[in-house]
Amino acid sequence: MKTQVSQLAYLESEAIHIIREVAAEFERPCLLFSGGKDSIVVLHLALKAFAPAPVPFPIMHVDTGHNFPEVIEFRDRVVAEHGLRLVVASVQDAIDAGKATEETGPRASRNRLQTGVLLDAIEAHRFDALFGGARRDEEKARAKERVYSFRDEFGQWDPKGQRPELWSLYNGRYKPGEHMRVFPISNWTELDIWHYIRDDEITIPHVYFAHNRPVFQRDGMWLGVTEFLQPMDGETTEERLVRFRTIGDATCTGAVESPAATIDQVIDEVAATRITERGATRADDRVTEAAMEDRKKEGYF
């Protein structure tokens, strides 16, 4: 008699297999961790993959300095709870050292500066594989990604030069200076992520759930008021019941109006929407039609 495996159980098994393969195959892997729901799930899978032993590689946060305070507090709490090795690649440090030039103007963001900081950190720590939380359903450029996403000696991605992955066989070969980005949850959807968070009782930052927050509207998005993001003339601050579907640099990550205060309510909301979380709330993806693909070719996540 055949035992039917649930979709989530299959996705979990596939992701854990990928994480273990990378740990065995590469010399210096690292897990990119933003404090967002997808990187939290990847970390949870890594903890499961090696339990009861500790995770055998560090996690890295590329820190723009323009973060939601709740997310930084969550990051530090997770690191302490699990005894993780944390590498912080700081955009502010790069600016202070003259390696990066900060954008100016009311729509300035440090989001694009993350690419150079990430590549410098990869070189400094000699990382040869970096786990990411990208999913193919998020955005059309990410839909082109393989699970093993090859990057050349400049950290660049060529969507036409990717390696085939027939029968879930992954080619991890690389030359000195090159590296691999690895996406264990490529085949997951946003709804899969939320079902898994619920079923495995994974803790996530409370900004993902409905809360009252001072926000203002810009370019069709509700942006949170912070010390580094204030409304311009003509923009009015309002107290709204909102939540965040995705977490990134606070200057370009919008909130959605929502009463969803529990995981089940979030699941119902996500199941009814027809717009991806990045498409709805990330200003950095609206710059051009190919904004994400252009950044990825330069070495972005």
Side-chain angles (χ1 to χ4, degrees):
M1 179 177 179
K2 291 185 177 180
T3 301
Q4 188 171 3
V5 179
S6 73
Q7 171 73 357
L8 280 182
Y10 173 81
L11 290 172
E12 179 189 68
S13 177
E14 177 187 54
I16 287 176
H17 166 72
I18 292 166
I19 291 169
R20 288 173 175 165
E21 282 292 300
V22 171
E25 189 174 359
F26 291 83
E27 293 183 7
R28 300 179 69 87
C30 178
L31 192 154
L32 293 170
F33 187 80
S34 66
K37 66 184 186 308
D38 299 309
S39 65
I40 292 170
V41 166
V42 175
L43 176 58
H44 180 80
L45 290 163
L47 290 165
K48 271 193 166 185
F50 303 106
V55 174
F57 41 75
I59 69 171
M60 177 163 65
H61 179 209
V62 181
D63 181 6
T64 66
H66 291 171
N67 302 287
F68 295 103
E70 302 95 327
V71 177
I72 295 299
E73 183 276 331
F74 179 87
R75 179 201 71 184
D76 294 341
R77 180 156 44 88
V78 167
V79 167
E81 179 182 350
H82 297 291
L84 302 169
R85 290 174 287 156
L86 173 65
V87 174
V88 177
S90 170
V91 170
Q92 184 63 57
D93 288 350
I95 293 171
D96 293 343
K99 294 181 177 181
T101 302
E102 188 157 22
E103 295 179 9
T104 58
R107 288 178 171 78
S109 170
R110 292 182 173 182
N111 196 57
R112 192 157 196 138
L113 300 183
Q114 293 179 91
T115 299
V117 173
L118 170 63
L119 295 177
D120 285 347
I122 292 170
E123 183 179 4
H125 294 276
R126 296 183 292 114
F127 293 136
D128 55 3
L130 289 98
F131 294 105
R135 308 186 324 268
R136 292 193 179 110
D137 75 322
E138 285 182 272
E139 201 273 342
K140 58 188 177 184
R142 285 185 165 168
K144 298 179 181 180
E145 288 274 22
R146 300 289 194 267
V147 173
Y148 275 37
S149 179
F150 173 76
R151 304 301 169 105
D152 65 18
E153 64 271 26
F154 302 106
Q156 296 176 333
W157 173 66
D158 178 6
K160 295 181 180 180
Q162 296 195 80
R163 300 166 179 179
E165 293 180 342
L166 302 175
W167 307 292
S168 298
L169 296 175
Y170 308 113
N171 183 349
R173 294 181 180 178
Y174 65 96
K175 298 175 183 177
E178 300 171 343
H179 70 276
M180 205 72 66
R181 307 284 173 88
V182 182
F183 304 110
I185 60 171
S186 282
N187 295 325
W188 299 46
T189 66
E190 184 183 7
L191 203 54
D192 291 328
I193 292 291
W194 279 107
H195 279 292
Y196 190 71
I197 288 171
R198 181 190 62 187
D199 293 355
D200 262 40
E201 300 180 344
I202 302 172
T203 302
I204 60 175
H206 74 264
V207 294
Y208 278 108
F209 302 103
H211 59 288
N212 286 303
R213 195 180 198 97
V215 295
F216 61 92
Q217 197 161 51
R218 178 180 295 171
D219 301 329
M221 293 191 305
W222 290 107
L223 296 173
V225 176
T226 65
E227 60 181 295
F228 37 80
L229 183 63
Q230 300 291 326
M232 298 187 291
D233 291 342
E235 296 174 339
T236 304
T237 300
E238 304 177 40
E239 190 85 10
R240 292 266 177 166
L241 185 64
V242 299
R243 73 177 192 88
F244 291 89
R245 287 181 66 188
T246 180
I247 297 295
D249 187 299
T251 62
C252 60
T253 302
V256 294
E257 289 190 87
S258 170
T262 68
I263 289 183
D264 284 331
Q265 290 171 344
V266 170
I267 287 173
D268 289 343
E269 187 176 272
V270 171
T273 189
R274 292 296 177 266
I275 303 175
T276 69
E277 64 262 51
R278 292 194 70 95
T281 62
R282 292 298 289 267
D284 49 327
D285 289 344
R286 299 182 179 189
V287 178
T288 68
E289 186 72 15
M292 170 65 83
E293 183 161 334
D294 290 342
R295 294 200 309 275
K296 288 178 70 62
K297 288 178 179 178
E298 296 171 357
Y300 187 71
F301 311 132

